[in-house]
Amino acid sequence: MLGAAGASLAHEDQQGASIQKGVASYYSDYFQGRTTASGDAFDQRELTAAHRTLPFGTKVLVTRPDNGRQVEVMINDRGPFVSGRVIDLSKSAARALGMLHRGTARVQLSLAD
């Protein structure tokens, strides 16, 4: 099934099962130190992310199928608010996925253990 932004939604209850596929982006440095929707101060050095609906504190494994790189992030903010994107990552998480120069990348999200 497709979400409003055209992202594939396949929510499942199993740990490690794919819950969503789509495009990831990452926060600009402008947001460093600002308060996230959860009340945390945003820190580009942490492995955190924004998602529209997952509960705060949810740990998500983000995988780039094209290069096999993965990173586990914790949801602490809401977004992204750009059509077609499913998750906004901290700069550290984007670096782990090798997407800093591209700005965006296709990813698969699954619940982390």
PDB file of all heavy atoms in Angstrom, residues 93-112:
ATOM      1  N   ALA A  93      24.030   9.688  11.297  1.00  0.00           N
ATOM      2  CA  ALA A  93      23.347   8.540  10.702  1.00  0.00           C
ATOM      3  C   ALA A  93      23.505   8.558   9.185  1.00  0.00           C
ATOM      4  O   ALA A  93      23.748   7.519   8.564  1.00  0.00           O
ATOM      5  CB  ALA A  93      21.876   8.536  11.095  1.00  0.00           C
ATOM      6  N   ALA A  94      23.387   9.736   8.583  1.00  0.00           N
ATOM      7  CA  ALA A  94      23.562   9.857   7.134  1.00  0.00           C
ATOM      8  C   ALA A  94      24.984   9.477   6.733  1.00  0.00           C
ATOM      9  O   ALA A  94      25.195   8.808   5.719  1.00  0.00           O
ATOM     10  CB  ALA A  94      23.239  11.280   6.686  1.00  0.00           C
ATOM     11  N   ARG A  95      25.952   9.872   7.533  1.00  0.00           N
ATOM     12  CA  ARG A  95      27.355   9.517   7.257  1.00  0.00           C
ATOM     13  C   ARG A  95      27.524   8.001   7.292  1.00  0.00           C
ATOM     14  O   ARG A  95      28.190   7.423   6.428  1.00  0.00           O
ATOM     15  CB  ARG A  95      28.275  10.177   8.279  1.00  0.00           C
ATOM     16  CG  ARG A  95      29.756   9.893   8.051  1.00  0.00           C
ATOM     17  CD  ARG A  95      30.644  10.644   9.038  1.00  0.00           C
ATOM     18  NE  ARG A  95      30.568  12.084   8.793  1.00  0.00           N
ATOM     19  CZ  ARG A  95      30.030  12.964   9.637  1.00  0.00           C
ATOM     20  NH1 ARG A  95      29.524  12.577  10.795  1.00  0.00           N
ATOM     21  NH2 ARG A  95      30.002  14.248   9.344  1.00  0.00           N
ATOM     22  N   ALA A  96      26.911   7.346   8.279  1.00  0.00           N
ATOM     23  CA  ALA A  96      27.016   5.888   8.392  1.00  0.00           C
ATOM     24  C   ALA A  96      26.447   5.186   7.155  1.00  0.00           C
ATOM     25  O   ALA A  96      26.921   4.110   6.775  1.00  0.00           O
ATOM     26  CB  ALA A  96      26.302   5.404   9.651  1.00  0.00           C
ATOM     27  N   LEU A  97      25.444   5.800   6.535  1.00  0.00           N
ATOM     28  CA  LEU A  97      24.839   5.220   5.334  1.00  0.00           C
ATOM     29  C   LEU A  97      25.558   5.639   4.050  1.00  0.00           C
ATOM     30  O   LEU A  97      25.229   5.146   2.968  1.00  0.00           O
ATOM     31  CB  LEU A  97      23.364   5.625   5.236  1.00  0.00           C
ATOM     32  CG  LEU A  97      22.437   5.043   6.291  1.00  0.00           C
ATOM     33  CD1 LEU A  97      21.039   5.613   6.131  1.00  0.00           C
ATOM     34  CD2 LEU A  97      22.413   3.521   6.216  1.00  0.00           C
ATOM     35  N   GLY A  98      26.529   6.550   4.173  1.00  0.00           N
ATOM     36  CA  GLY A  98      27.265   7.007   3.000  1.00  0.00           C
ATOM     37  C   GLY A  98      26.449   7.890   2.080  1.00  0.00           C
ATOM     38  O   GLY A  98      26.581   7.812   0.864  1.00  0.00           O
ATOM     39  N   MET A  99      25.621   8.754   2.665  1.00  0.00           N
ATOM     40  CA  MET A  99      24.752   9.589   1.833  1.00  0.00           C
ATOM     41  C   MET A  99      24.971  11.088   2.000  1.00  0.00           C
ATOM     42  O   MET A  99      24.170  11.888   1.524  1.00  0.00           O
ATOM     43  CB  MET A  99      23.278   9.243   2.073  1.00  0.00           C
ATOM     44  CG  MET A  99      22.815   9.403   3.500  1.00  0.00           C
ATOM     45  SD  MET A  99      21.062   9.030   3.722  1.00  0.00           S
ATOM     46  CE  MET A  99      20.332  10.618   3.383  1.00  0.00           C
ATOM     47  N   LEU A 100      26.072  11.492   2.632  1.00  0.00           N
ATOM     48  CA  LEU A 100      26.287  12.922   2.864  1.00  0.00           C
ATOM     49  C   LEU A 100      26.412  13.707   1.559  1.00  0.00           C
ATOM     50  O   LEU A 100      25.874  14.810   1.442  1.00  0.00           O
ATOM     51  CB  LEU A 100      27.528  13.156   3.722  1.00  0.00           C
ATOM     52  CG  LEU A 100      27.378  12.845   5.205  1.00  0.00           C
ATOM     53  CD1 LEU A 100      28.664  13.183   5.944  1.00  0.00           C
ATOM     54  CD2 LEU A 100      26.208  13.590   5.816  1.00  0.00           C
ATOM     55  N   HIS A 101      27.103  13.189   0.583  1.00  0.00           N
ATOM     56  CA  HIS A 101      27.305  13.941  -0.657  1.00  0.00           C
ATOM     57  C   HIS A 101      26.079  13.933  -1.549  1.00  0.00           C
ATOM     58  O   HIS A 101      25.856  14.862  -2.308  1.00  0.00           O
ATOM     59  CB  HIS A 101      28.517  13.397  -1.414  1.00  0.00           C
ATOM     60  CG  HIS A 101      29.787  13.586  -0.662  1.00  0.00           C
ATOM     61  ND1 HIS A 101      30.333  14.820  -0.417  1.00  0.00           N
ATOM     62  CD2 HIS A 101      30.593  12.697  -0.044  1.00  0.00           C
ATOM     63  CE1 HIS A 101      31.423  14.693   0.299  1.00  0.00           C
ATOM     64  NE2 HIS A 101      31.611  13.409   0.543  1.00  0.00           N
ATOM     65  N   ARG A 102      25.267  12.878  -1.431  1.00  0.00           N
ATOM     66  CA  ARG A 102      24.059  12.778  -2.250  1.00  0.00           C
ATOM     67  C   ARG A 102      22.914  13.595  -1.674  1.00  0.00           C
ATOM     68  O   ARG A 102      22.073  14.087  -2.401  1.00  0.00           O
ATOM     69  CB  ARG A 102      23.605  11.318  -2.330  1.00  0.00           C
ATOM     70  CG  ARG A 102      24.571  10.425  -3.059  1.00  0.00           C
ATOM     71  CD  ARG A 102      24.063   9.025  -3.080  1.00  0.00           C
ATOM     72  NE  ARG A 102      22.711   8.999  -3.640  1.00  0.00           N
ATOM     73  CZ  ARG A 102      22.153   7.951  -4.164  1.00  0.00           C
ATOM     74  NH1 ARG A 102      22.803   6.822  -4.209  1.00  0.00           N
ATOM     75  NH2 ARG A 102      20.940   7.985  -4.656  1.00  0.00           N
ATOM     76  N   GLY A 103      22.819  13.646  -0.344  1.00  0.00           N
ATOM     77  CA  GLY A 103      21.738  14.371   0.317  1.00  0.00           C
ATOM     78  C   GLY A 103      20.519  13.513   0.603  1.00  0.00           C
ATOM     79  O   GLY A 103      19.861  13.685   1.612  1.00  0.00           O
ATOM     80  N   THR A 104      20.207  12.609  -0.311  1.00  0.00           N
ATOM     81  CA  THR A 104      19.094  11.688  -0.116  1.00  0.00           C
ATOM     82  C   THR A 104      19.520  10.304  -0.597  1.00  0.00           C
ATOM     83  O   THR A 104      20.478  10.172  -1.359  1.00  0.00           O
ATOM     84  CB  THR A 104      17.830  12.110  -0.900  1.00  0.00           C
ATOM     85  OG1 THR A 104      18.126  12.103  -2.293  1.00  0.00           O
ATOM     86  CG2 THR A 104      17.329  13.478  -0.471  1.00  0.00           C
ATOM     87  N   ALA A 105      18.793   9.294  -0.153  1.00  0.00           N
ATOM     88  CA  ALA A 105      19.051   7.926  -0.607  1.00  0.00           C
ATOM     89  C   ALA A 105      17.803   7.095  -0.378  1.00  0.00           C
ATOM     90  O   ALA A 105      17.035   7.343   0.568  1.00  0.00           O
ATOM     91  CB  ALA A 105      20.231   7.313   0.147  1.00  0.00           C
ATOM     92  N   ARG A 106      17.594   6.103  -1.231  1.00  0.00           N
ATOM     93  CA  ARG A 106      16.498   5.154  -1.031  1.00  0.00           C
ATOM     94  C   ARG A 106      16.894   4.242   0.121  1.00  0.00           C
ATOM     95  O   ARG A 106      18.029   3.781   0.192  1.00  0.00           O
ATOM     96  CB  ARG A 106      16.247   4.357  -2.298  1.00  0.00           C
ATOM     97  CG  ARG A 106      15.677   5.262  -3.387  1.00  0.00           C
ATOM     98  CD  ARG A 106      14.840   4.570  -4.417  1.00  0.00           C
ATOM     99  NE  ARG A 106      13.669   3.877  -3.947  1.00  0.00           N
ATOM    100  CZ  ARG A 106      12.506   4.431  -3.586  1.00  0.00           C
ATOM    101  NH1 ARG A 106      12.369   5.729  -3.604  1.00  0.00           N
ATOM    102  NH2 ARG A 106      11.483   3.706  -3.205  1.00  0.00           N
ATOM    103  N   VAL A 107      15.930   4.013   1.036  1.00  0.00           N
ATOM    104  CA  VAL A 107      16.191   3.200   2.218  1.00  0.00           C
ATOM    105  C   VAL A 107      15.027   2.266   2.499  1.00  0.00           C
ATOM    106  O   VAL A 107      13.921   2.443   1.978  1.00  0.00           O
ATOM    107  CB  VAL A 107      16.455   4.073   3.474  1.00  0.00           C
ATOM    108  CG1 VAL A 107      17.714   4.903   3.323  1.00  0.00           C
ATOM    109  CG2 VAL A 107      15.255   4.940   3.792  1.00  0.00           C
ATOM    110  N   GLN A 108      15.310   1.335   3.362  1.00  0.00           N
ATOM    111  CA  GLN A 108      14.302   0.423   3.897  1.00  0.00           C
ATOM    112  C   GLN A 108      14.370   0.544   5.414  1.00  0.00           C
ATOM    113  O   GLN A 108      15.450   0.523   5.995  1.00  0.00           O
ATOM    114  CB  GLN A 108      14.614  -1.000   3.471  1.00  0.00           C
ATOM    115  CG  GLN A 108      13.664  -2.028   4.020  1.00  0.00           C
ATOM    116  CD  GLN A 108      13.981  -3.405   3.441  1.00  0.00           C
ATOM    117  OE1 GLN A 108      14.193  -3.543   2.252  1.00  0.00           O
ATOM    118  NE2 GLN A 108      14.018  -4.394   4.314  1.00  0.00           N
ATOM    119  N   LEU A 109      13.223   0.698   6.056  1.00  0.00           N
ATOM    120  CA  LEU A 109      13.164   0.809   7.512  1.00  0.00           C
ATOM    121  C   LEU A 109      12.634  -0.487   8.093  1.00  0.00           C
ATOM    122  O   LEU A 109      11.697  -1.074   7.563  1.00  0.00           O
ATOM    123  CB  LEU A 109      12.230   1.953   7.921  1.00  0.00           C
ATOM    124  CG  LEU A 109      12.459   3.324   7.293  1.00  0.00           C
ATOM    125  CD1 LEU A 109      11.452   4.320   7.853  1.00  0.00           C
ATOM    126  CD2 LEU A 109      13.878   3.791   7.500  1.00  0.00           C
ATOM    127  N   SER A 110      13.228  -0.903   9.208  1.00  0.00           N
ATOM    128  CA  SER A 110      12.711  -2.042   9.957  1.00  0.00           C
ATOM    129  C   SER A 110      12.890  -1.752  11.432  1.00  0.00           C
ATOM    130  O   SER A 110      13.747  -0.947  11.826  1.00  0.00           O
ATOM    131  CB  SER A 110      13.404  -3.343   9.556  1.00  0.00           C
ATOM    132  OG  SER A 110      14.804  -3.236   9.688  1.00  0.00           O
ATOM    133  N   LEU A 111      12.056  -2.365  12.272  1.00  0.00           N
ATOM    134  CA  LEU A 111      12.181  -2.159  13.711  1.00  0.00           C
ATOM    135  C   LEU A 111      13.429  -2.861  14.206  1.00  0.00           C
ATOM    136  O   LEU A 111      13.680  -4.012  13.832  1.00  0.00           O
ATOM    137  CB  LEU A 111      10.947  -2.686  14.435  1.00  0.00           C
ATOM    138  CG  LEU A 111       9.641  -1.977  14.086  1.00  0.00           C
ATOM    139  CD1 LEU A 111       8.468  -2.635  14.822  1.00  0.00           C
ATOM    140  CD2 LEU A 111       9.710  -0.500  14.423  1.00  0.00           C
ATOM    141  N   ALA A 112      14.225  -2.169  15.018  1.00  0.00           N
ATOM    142  CA  ALA A 112      15.439  -2.746  15.593  1.00  0.00           C
ATOM    143  C   ALA A 112      15.081  -3.551  16.833  1.00  0.00           C
ATOM    144  O   ALA A 112      14.043  -3.306  17.471  1.00  0.00           O
ATOM    145  CB  ALA A 112      16.430  -1.649  15.921  1.00  0.00           C
TER     146      ALA A 112
END
